[in-house]
Amino acid sequence: SGVIEPSADDYETTARLIEAGEILGIKVVDHLIVASGTGEYYSFASEGDMERIQEELDRERFRVREQER
């Protein structure tokens, strides 16, 4: 679509990629959105989103573990 700003679906996909990587023992270090034609891109890592998403996943796992107690 030529839009490089991440959507809610992009954030969800990134979180799922991180989780899949953890299962496979692969660290996902970035997720890029590349605009067709212009070469512009959005880097989740450069914008700090990878770290924020990982923190959210960690908090959710902690909440789940606490609820299971």
Side-chain angles (χ1 to χ4, degrees), residues 17-57:
L17 287 170
I18 291 170
E19 290 177 313
E22 289 171 351
I23 291 167
L24 296 170
I26 300 168
K27 181 176 174 88
V28 177
V29 297
D30 205 352
H31 176 188
L32 299 176
I33 299 171
V34 181
S36 59
T38 67
E40 291 182 293
Y41 67 92
Y42 182 94
S43 165
F44 280 71
S46 294
E47 298 297 326
D49 291 333
M50 296 300 287
E51 187 174 326
R52 281 191 290 276
I53 292 168
Q54 183 65 62
E55 289 170 357
E56 286 179 27
L57 290 170

